[in-house]
Amino acid sequence: MDFNLNKEQEMFQQSLRKLLENTEVEKNSHSKDVWKSLADLGVLSLGIPEELGGFGQDYELIQIAGLELGKSLTHSPYYETVVMAGSVLASQETSSWKKEVEKIISGQKIISFIDADNHIIAEKENHENWSLHGTAEVISFGSEADSFICSASGTLFYLPKEKVNTVPLDFIDNRPVARVNLENIVIPDHYRLCDVGESEKFLQKPRAVGRLFIASYMSGAAQSSLDLAIDYMSTREQFGKPISSFQALSHWAADLQTMCDAALLFTRQLGWELTYGRTLESSILCLKYSTKVYKNCATASVQMAGGYGFMMEYDMQHFYRNALGIEQINDCPQHTSIDLRRNHLLELELSGASI
């Protein structure tokens, strides 16, 4: 495979980078205006089938989008709304769900995702209704969402915002999160989005694409945080010369740059593999490695800047808090071994092997 970008990909990257550079939004924050601009540029169409108005399954462009959003440290509900909700709704046959996809592409609607690890319970009351109950403690973009897709008892459900109770929470990296309470809410069966007990099989590909996006985001953010540290060391003087000339710091920065380059190539390889239908398992390893690289770079940038790295006036602390926030929201890399085991069990089940 060729790791270099083609002309179409370069044009997309330059357009997205220019858009993000020209926005006056504080790092580690979400802007509805930026979200609408991303829709106008076509970013929200990535991964959506062409027959629904999307750009099709060119996951290499999703890698570029995640990379540039990470470099600018821009919060967006891309993972929740486009990758997870968009994929689930695009696979539905009913025309009403197709309209929801159109609203996602145009930036009119934000849909958050409540994953299975929140242990929401779904019980069928009768042939027409389901009852859901439980509490999802920390849901990314839960306070901004117009609706939710919830994985409960091995089944996927669509939840309108008026059906749930959301409590906005303060979070370490300023992203809009909320506690979502589902206390014996009743929803009709036509809000069920997959066969009963089939949610994990249904979400296998969207999860892999989601890992690609998050890993790419962290790869871009890691590079930006390291660039900040290097710029600071080039101007900060000690003993009459820049501290970047000190061997310990320069070697440390060189090692981190090598890790950043490896993370970038790993995400590009994963984008290529997903586009051409290769294995999904490498997405877990890619996410794990990018998490490690980002946390190392964000921590190092704070340390290299000394006490200044902790000050709100400097951007280093934004990257450090963002790295911790992503790790908490996405449970990475703690759950990677569980995900690998879950994927292995799914492959055995699909092949007809006994487990």
Side-chain angles (χ1 to χ4, degrees):
M1 63 169 290
D2 186 0
F3 285 109
N4 295 316
L5 302 181
N6 58 37
K7 289 185 177 179
E8 177 189 350
Q9 292 167 344
E10 286 181 351
M11 290 177 60
F12 174 76
Q13 184 179 47
Q14 291 169 5
S15 299
L16 179 54
R17 184 175 297 175
K18 184 178 179 180
L19 185 155
L20 295 173
E21 288 176 348
N22 292 334
T23 56
E24 297 181 358
V25 180
E26 183 183 359
K27 292 184 183 297
N28 255 355
S29 63
H30 167 64
S31 167
K32 293 183 179 180
D33 291 336
V34 172
W35 183 246
K36 187 63 172 65
S37 297
L38 292 175
D40 295 338
L41 189 60
V43 177
L44 308 191
S45 302
L46 301 177
I48 303 295
E50 294 181 10
E51 58 268 23
L52 297 178
F55 285 169
Q57 297 181 336
D58 188 343
Y59 300 114
E60 292 174 286
L61 292 180
I62 291 181
Q63 184 271 330
I64 295 172
L67 181 73
E68 295 302 322
L69 287 168
K71 283 184 176 180
S72 63
L73 210 63
T74 301
H75 283 313
S76 76
Y78 188 90
Y79 167 77
E80 296 84 2
T81 300
V82 179
V83 176
M84 301 305 290
S87 299
V88 171
L89 296 178
S91 65
Q92 306 300 310
E93 298 180 356
T94 310
S95 59
S96 60
W97 298 126
K98 309 297 183 185
K99 294 179 180 178
E100 292 290 294
V101 176
E102 293 174 1
K103 292 178 181 178
I104 289 175
I105 292 175
S106 64
Q108 299 178 41
K109 193 157 193 175
I110 292 177
I111 302 178
S112 192
F113 181 67
I114 302 175
D115 211 340
D117 57 7
N118 289 283
H119 306 296
I120 304 300
I121 304 301
E123 298 175 334
K124 195 166 186 179
E125 292 195 334
N126 49 52
H127 292 295
E128 298 180 353
N129 296 308
W130 288 78
S131 174
L132 272 67
H133 53 90
T135 300
E137 292 296 338
V138 182
I139 298 301
S140 182
F141 283 87
S143 59
E144 299 287 327
D146 302 299
S147 55
F148 298 83
I149 287 180
C150 177
S151 178
S153 300
T155 309
L156 294 173
F157 298 92
Y158 178 87
L159 305 178
K161 185 175 183 177
E162 58 270 16
K163 288 283 187 177
V164 304
N165 173 254
T166 59
V167 181
L169 304 173
D170 291 329
F171 199 63
I172 188 171
D173 66 351
N174 296 330
R175 77 179 65 212
V177 304
R179 179 186 299 113
V180 181
N181 299 314
L182 293 80
E183 294 300 330
N184 297 318
I185 67 170
V186 178
I187 57 172
D189 187 63
H190 64 261
Y191 278 1
R192 178 170 53 84
L193 301 174
C194 72
D195 293 336
V196 176
E198 297 293 310
S199 62
E200 286 306 317
K201 294 180 182 178
F202 201 82
L203 292 174
Q204 192 175 20
K205 183 64 175 288
R207 286 193 192 281
V209 178
R211 296 185 195 109
L212 168 65
F213 175 77
I214 297 170
S216 301
Y217 183 99
M218 290 192 290
S219 171
Q223 185 63 66
S224 288
S225 64
L226 180 58
D227 289 344
L228 275 176
I230 293 174
D231 288 344
Y232 175 82
M233 289 192 299
S234 299
T235 57
R236 174 77 163 87
E237 291 190 358
Q238 188 69 20
F239 305 111
K241 56 184 177 180
I243 62 174
S244 59
S245 64
F246 298 158
Q247 194 174 66
L249 291 177
S250 61
H251 285 193
W252 190 10
D255 289 342
L256 291 172
Q257 184 59 63
T258 301
M259 294 176 69
C260 284
D261 292 341
L264 173 62
L265 294 178
F266 204 163
T267 57
R268 284 190 178 165
Q269 178 182 337
L270 178 57
W272 180 85
E273 289 179 349
L274 292 177
T275 299
Y276 295 99
R278 301 300 178 91
T279 177
L280 303 181
E281 192 168 284
S282 61
S283 66
I284 302 172
L285 302 177
C286 182
L287 178 63
K288 182 174 183 178
Y289 184 71
S290 296
T291 303
K292 175 183 176 181
V293 173
Y294 185 22
K295 193 169 183 180
N296 284 353
C297 288
T299 302
S301 69
V302 170
Q303 293 175 335
M304 289 174 177
Y308 290 114
F310 293 97
M311 297 179 66
M312 299 299 289
E313 292 81 359
Y314 287 79
D315 286 340
M316 288 84 162
Q317 49 86 21
H318 284 301
F319 289 96
Y320 182 70
R321 292 192 290 118
N322 180 253
L324 296 180
I326 291 178
E327 187 177 37
Q328 181 176 342
I329 286 288
N330 297 287
D331 284 330
C332 54
Q334 292 93 329
H335 287 187
T336 51
S337 59
I338 297 175
D339 286 340
L340 285 167
R341 174 63 178 164
R342 179 169 55 189
N343 279 6
H344 179 60
L345 293 175
L346 280 173
E347 289 172 2
L348 289 175
E349 186 176 343
L350 290 172
S351 65
S354 59
I355 302 175

